[in-house]
Each structure stands twice: as C-alpha cells, then as structure tokens.
Amino acid sequence: MTKTIFVTATGTNVGKTYTTLKLMELFAARGLRAVPFKPIETCVEDSPADASKLLQKYKELYNDNTLAIDDVCIYRFALPAAPYIAANGAKIEILFIEEKLQYLKSIADVVLVEGAGGLFVPIGHDYFMIDMAKEFADLAVLVSHTGLGCINDSILSDSALRKSEIPYIFVFNRREGDDFDLISKPFFENYFGKVLEIKDLDSLL
C-alpha cells in the first residue's frame, strides 16, 4: 500500500523542499519509488521553482521522464502570499488535488506531499495546510528552523500536530550561522527529550 508523507514546516523558507529532496534520496536508496507532489506553489513567475527541483530530482533518481510539471504542481500563482490570497478569488479544489494524489499513488511506493508555508497557511476560507495533512497523509514530517524564534515556532507547530492527532516526525534544519547548540538546543533537549535533525531521517522512517 502506497504511503503518503506530508512535509510541512514551522513557517516559510524553513526547508520543506530541501527535506523533501532528502527524503526522495533516502527512499530511492531503499529501492522505493518516491514521487513528489507540490500541489500548490505561490510566487511563481515562469515556472514553479520548488516543484521543478522536485521533478528534476525524480527524473535523476529514476531515469523516468513520464511525469510533467503539471503532474507535480497543479496550482500555481504569481503572488507571493498564502494560496487562498494568491488565488485572488479562484477556488482551489481539494477534490482535484485528491484526484491527482490518487494518480501519483498508483505509480509510487511513497508520495511526498510538500505543503506551502506552515500549518495554518490558508488554502480556503476555513481550510488550512494542516487540514490537508489530516485528510491525505499517513505521516507528517515537521521541519523547524534553528534560528531566533525557533522555540516559539516549534512549540506552536508541535502542539497543533499533537491536537490534530496526525502521526508526525519533528526534525530541525540546521542553518549555517545559527548558534543552535548554545542557544536553543539545550531547551529542546529538556522539553522534548530528544532533538532530531534532517540527517536523522534515515533512522526514523
């Protein structure tokens, strides 16, 4: 049975695409076909930058050119804003996203769904990224940054996933220049008991 993993983060530009690429490599190394799906991407001028990276990685890993960008990213908007706002009145059809997801599941061992922004980025008036994760995912991967504000961002997102009862893995994306070991990591070790980073994903899945 194909597993669906939803990659989300504590905010925008935290490392969802980087994490999804790492997950693709991880599953490919295990002999599994990991198909990426970035259903919605905003701030798109000519082509969706994140979805294009995912598609290129898929082609490199599996030597498969059958997927097109329209399979990997079905809603694209120019405005750099939350999907509900960037759509400018157009309706984002969740049923259409589900239909595309079912197609990708038919050709995959794992579908890696990359969200947009954080958990409470709106897709509709009262439908958020966390709702999509709850509806479609078997597992979520929550990615946090390690810079200033990561404690607040991490605890809020972790709490939201706990309340939603979505099974999830929580990892940190360490950035160069962040004094994570000194400033934030000791608190997280005390609060969570264990601090996991993207490099630990292989042992978690």
Side-chain angles (χ1 to χ4, degrees):
M1 183 176 177
T2 303
K3 177 176 282 190
T4 301
I5 297 176
F6 191 90
V7 182
T8 187
T10 56
T12 192
N13 293 323
V14 167
K16 291 186 300 298
T17 301
Y18 175 74
T19 303
T20 305
L21 292 168
K22 291 296 182 184
L23 287 168
M24 291 176 70
E25 293 172 352
L26 184 158
F27 285 116
R30 297 180 183 178
L32 299 173
R33 184 172 293 266
V35 176
F37 186 32
K38 174 90 175 177
I40 308 168
E41 186 165 340
T42 64
C43 195
V44 176
E45 295 181 1
D46 299 316
S47 63
D50 293 342
S52 296
K53 291 177 185 176
L54 298 177
L55 180 59
Q56 183 59 38
K57 174 63 72 173
Y58 174 81
K59 291 178 177 179
E60 291 172 1
L61 289 173
Y62 301 105
N63 193 28
D64 182 356
N65 293 311
T66 58
L67 285 182
I69 196 64
D70 289 339
D71 296 312
V72 174
C73 185
I74 56 178
Y75 284 106
R76 306 191 284 268
F77 305 108
L79 189 67
Y84 177 62
I85 297 166
N88 194 30
K91 185 173 175 57
I92 297 172
E93 296 286 353
I94 302 304
L95 181 59
F96 183 41
I97 293 174
E98 181 179 11
E99 289 171 350
K100 182 61 72 173
L101 175 60
Q102 292 304 319
Y103 164 69
L104 295 176
K105 288 176 72 171
S106 73
I107 62 171
D109 296 303
V110 181
V111 178
L112 300 170
V113 182
E114 182 186 324
L119 289 165
F120 283 94
V121 165
I123 300 170
H125 175 69
D126 57 356
Y127 189 92
F128 301 86
M129 284 292 160
I130 194 169
D131 297 312
M132 182 182 289
K134 190 166 186 176
E135 190 168 352
F136 299 136
D138 301 300
L139 176 73
V141 175
L142 172 64
V143 185
S144 175
H145 64 100
T146 56
L148 186 65
C150 68
I151 292 176
N152 177 75
D153 295 346
S154 297
I155 292 175
L156 284 173
S157 297
D158 178 78
S159 176
L161 283 173
R162 286 180 186 272
K163 289 179 181 178
S164 72
E165 299 183 341
I166 301 170
Y168 69 100
I169 292 167
F170 185 11
V171 295
F172 288 88
N173 180 26
R174 187 187 290 256
R175 298 282 181 86
E176 186 177 349
D178 290 338
D179 203 351
F180 185 53
D181 292 317
L182 176 65
I183 296 175
S184 304
K185 189 175 180 180
F187 170 82
F188 285 125
E189 288 175 332
N190 182 57
Y191 187 83
F192 291 117
K194 183 182 292 186
V195 175
L196 302 166
E197 299 185 35
I198 290 175
K199 63 182 176 61
D200 300 311
L201 281 169
D202 193 22
S203 64
L204 299 172
L205 293 166

